[in-house]
Amino acid sequence: MGARSIIVDADACPVKSEIEEAGRQFGVQVVLVASFDHRMKMNPGVRVVQVDRSDQSVDLYIANQIKSGDILVTQDFGLAALGLAKGSYCLTNRGQEYTDSSIDFLLDRRHTSAKMRRAGKHSKGPKPFTDEDRKYFLHGLTKLLKKLQEIEKE
């Protein structure tokens, strides 16, 4: 099968349907984790976990559940760092894979941006999510799932 599960930080994830599609195609369980403020649909092959509304509830649930071999989809650099430390594969909502070599840079950039915001300087937010981003994400997830299938066959 390759990956154990695809775990999704689902509160603000724009590619849930693409993840479900890939999960079905590769026979991998999808777990959508969101606060009760977000309505999640139960679909075949998808488990929905809803947690309380507090600030870090989704992240804490995922951090406690994720295991080596899982795939984590998140925009949160801190959560991705925890996933990498546990041996999971981590992707952004735009399809880029977080790696041990890239996560330190991303965390440092987040820290620097937070310091600038506290000092009153504001930067641009993320670029709007496009159909091209959606296609790139699905390509990245599919490529990772194929790679994990090949590793399992060896």
Side-chain angles (χ1 to χ4, degrees):
M1 181 181 302
R4 293 170 23 89
S5 296
I6 302 171
I7 301 175
V8 183
D9 181 355
D11 277 346
C13 181
V15 288
K16 290 185 280 288
S17 62
E18 287 80 4
I19 295 167
E20 290 180 23
E21 176 187 321
R24 276 191 300 277
Q25 181 182 351
F26 286 87
V28 177
Q29 171 78 46
V30 173
V31 181
L32 301 177
V33 184
S35 71
F36 286 113
D37 291 331
H38 297 83
R39 288 186 105 85
M40 297 285 126
K41 277 180 50 181
M42 294 281 262
N43 290 317
V46 177
R47 186 165 66 99
V48 173
V49 176
Q50 299 220 247
V51 297
D52 68 52
R53 294 175 173 94
S54 64
D55 190 28
Q56 298 296 316
S57 293
V58 170
D59 295 353
L60 289 172
Y61 179 87
I62 291 172
N64 287 318
Q65 298 300 313
I66 198 156
K67 295 186 177 28
S68 180
D70 287 339
I71 296 173
L72 170 62
V73 179
T74 184
Q75 300 179 88
D76 185 312
F77 301 152
L79 183 57
L82 289 170
L84 288 171
K86 289 191 167 200
S88 68
Y89 301 89
C90 302
L91 291 176
T92 71
N93 294 339
R94 295 177 191 259
Q96 289 95 17
E97 190 170 353
Y98 295 103
T99 64
D100 290 331
S101 59
S102 69
I103 199 69
D104 289 337
F105 168 77
L106 295 169
L107 289 168
D108 184 57
R109 188 175 73 184
R110 181 179 75 171
H111 175 72
T112 301
S113 294
K115 281 179 24 181
M116 289 175 59
R117 282 192 301 277
R118 283 193 301 273
K121 294 185 170 77
H122 296 283
S123 61
K124 297 177 188 173
K127 292 184 271 182
F129 197 81
T130 66
D131 285 339
E132 193 65 30
D133 292 323
R134 193 173 303 284
K135 289 175 191 167
Y136 189 78
F137 170 80
L138 186 55
H139 174 74
L141 179 58
T142 301
K143 183 176 166 185
L144 177 57
L145 288 165
K146 284 179 182 176
K147 178 177 108 178
L148 294 176
Q149 275 186 338
E150 291 302 316
I151 289 171
E152 187 175 88
K153 288 178 184 177
E154 292 175 0

